[in-house]
Amino acid sequence: MLTGWYPQFSKNRPLTSQEEKDHLPFGRKQDVIPEDGVGLIHFNSTFIEFVDRGFKLKGMSATLAFLFCELIVLGAFFGGIYLAVESTQEFTLATYLIVAAGESTFLFLAYFVWKNLLRFDLFAYTHNPIRFNRKTGKIHVFRHNGAGGVLSVPWGDPSLYFHIGHGMQNKVLRDLRCHVLDASRSVQDTFTVGHSTDEDLRIVEQWEFIRRYMEQGPSHVVDDPLDGVITLSLKPSWKNCYVWVCFALGQSLFPMRHVLFPLYGALTLTRWLSFKTCKEPVWPADIQAEGAMEPGDPHHWPEPEFMGAFAENDAIYQRAVRRNELRKQRL
């Protein structure tokens, strides 16, 4: 789902009928099993933190496809010059026209791809975190380092409108989306939390996870202690990049990962390159101070060295299987 990158979220508009239908209200328990949707990166008594939806896209299929197309255009450009020179043995007016047309096409495509995709993917941030601080009752949305780079809004405020967001390119995809409204209920800002998925239920489960944490406290978030596990790892290692590609491409393709190694390998490479060009987000000093974790916090969930590390614990794995079976019964 590229919505939010291209096209960007629209502002100064009323809520749509679909958004009103898919509202996720504060203070109302959802009859679901709470899940973090593999978007959680920090959990303690003071705050929880998620990646935004862009983390899932970094260095993945869209980036690989666009880079591949750029290479084709670049090859055609220089190939055209070579053929023109070879056929005439000199730079004629036709040669100059071919060079000018090829150069213009290449520059236009390069600018379009950079403006609408790659500037979020390369030389940007490894992730854009969203922090829910239950002690201050604030939500912090990271945009960039420096002054004015964080949107801070109060939990439970009428200006916040959480709902199930819909993809524009792929209508099947959903995300947990929040609009910031003005007094006239017009959309002034938008942010997403966690990854996109193709199930409404997944989004409601993630919302219930966050709602319980903010409104009931960290001890009420999960139904079983074995559910208290962080799956996602932010370390930009080859292993994490490969595991993420396997996760993103889904269970149906996983048995064929060796046959499809050129695809898996190329996506692993582009994702690794994407993270290597990006820098870590840094919260402002006041937000860091507000989020200081207490020593010996009993609700601090360990963070994995690699994605899915805690699933190597058989009890945690079996509980995840059981939880998935319970989910299917609710569908």
Side-chain angles (χ1 to χ4, degrees):
M1 185 193 289
L2 298 177
T3 306
W5 284 9
Y6 180 76
Q8 295 185 357
F9 291 124
S10 57
K11 300 180 181 180
N12 299 312
R13 63 170 181 82
L15 295 170
T16 67
S17 58
Q18 186 67 59
E19 290 169 339
E20 292 179 344
K21 176 184 176 182
D22 292 332
H23 184 212
L24 297 169
F26 297 111
R28 184 184 302 173
K29 181 181 178 180
Q30 303 290 330
D31 186 24
V32 297
I33 301 172
E35 291 268 8
D36 73 287
V38 198
L40 181 72
I41 53 176
H42 301 298
F43 188 108
N44 56 64
S45 295
T46 304
F47 69 87
I48 57 175
E49 195 164 297
F50 285 78
V51 295
D52 80 329
R53 196 190 57 214
F55 182 85
K56 186 175 185 178
L57 304 174
K58 279 187 172 292
M60 293 301 290
S61 56
T63 307
L64 179 63
F66 278 126
L67 290 176
F68 182 70
C69 289
E70 289 290 348
L71 289 176
I72 291 177
V73 172
L74 190 61
F77 170 54
F78 286 110
I81 294 176
Y82 174 78
L83 291 175
V85 173
E86 280 293 305
S87 63
T88 62
Q89 297 300 314
E90 60 181 3
F91 270 76
T92 63
L93 177 60
T95 306
Y96 282 112
L97 290 176
I98 291 173
V99 171
E103 186 176 70
S104 299
T105 301
F106 174 73
L107 291 176
F108 173 78
L109 289 175
Y111 172 76
F112 179 85
V113 170
W114 175 260
K115 182 177 184 297
N116 294 297
L117 177 69
L118 294 185
R119 70 186 177 96
F120 303 107
D121 208 17
L122 301 170
F123 306 103
Y125 294 97
T126 56
H127 63 293
N128 289 68
I130 299 91
R131 176 173 292 190
F132 297 83
N133 189 315
R134 66 177 304 271
K135 292 193 174 179
T136 62
K138 294 180 182 177
I139 307 171
H140 302 292
V141 183
F142 182 90
R143 298 287 173 64
H144 60 80
N145 293 337
V150 175
L151 169 68
S152 296
V153 288
W155 173 268
D157 193 86
S159 66
L160 297 186
Y161 192 89
F162 279 93
H163 65 287
I164 300 172
H166 292 240
M168 295 186 69
Q169 298 90 356
N170 188 338
K171 306 296 184 181
V172 175
L173 292 180
R174 305 286 187 266
D175 60 31
L176 178 56
R177 197 174 300 182
C178 181
H179 292 319
V180 182
L181 310 177
D182 63 12
S184 65
R185 306 280 290 171
S186 177
V187 176
Q188 300 301 304
D189 208 332
T190 303
F191 61 90
T192 63
V193 183
H195 309 302
S196 60
T197 179
D198 57 0
E199 293 181 30
D200 287 12
L201 178 59
R202 293 285 189 186
I203 303 304
V204 179
E205 289 171 343
Q206 185 182 341
W207 167 249
E208 180 64 7
F209 183 100
I210 296 168
R211 189 203 64 78
R212 286 193 190 185
Y213 177 84
M214 293 297 286
E215 297 178 358
Q216 297 174 244
S219 61
H220 298 278
V221 171
V222 293
D223 297 333
D224 187 296
L226 291 174
D227 294 340
V229 172
I230 295 176
T231 301
L232 184 61
S233 172
L234 295 177
K235 291 179 172 57
S237 64
W238 283 103
K239 183 173 185 176
N240 270 337
C241 291
Y242 176 71
V243 172
W244 181 263
V245 169
C246 293
F247 170 77
L249 293 184
Q251 294 181 351
S252 60
L253 289 180
F254 186 72
M256 297 184 289
R257 63 192 182 282
H258 301 300
V259 177
L260 298 176
F261 182 75
L263 173 61
Y264 278 78
L267 288 173
T268 299
L269 175 61
T270 53
R271 187 165 176 85
W272 182 82
L273 288 173
S274 177
F275 281 108
K276 284 300 180 181
T277 68
C278 293
K279 55 188 175 183
E280 294 286 334
V282 179
W283 291 109
D286 60 331
I287 294 178
Q288 291 189 49
E290 290 176 354
M293 189 174 66
E294 299 176 1
D297 183 351
H299 298 296
H300 174 227
W301 293 3
E303 292 152 24
E305 285 294 315
F306 58 90
M307 185 175 170
F310 299 123
E312 294 182 350
N313 180 309
D314 187 61
I316 292 175
Y317 177 78
Q318 293 301 327
R319 168 58 189 171
V321 172
R322 174 59 179 159
R323 195 169 64 243
N324 194 49
E325 291 173 350
L326 293 172
R327 283 190 71 259
K328 291 180 179 178
Q329 293 174 12
R330 292 169 180 258
L331 292 175

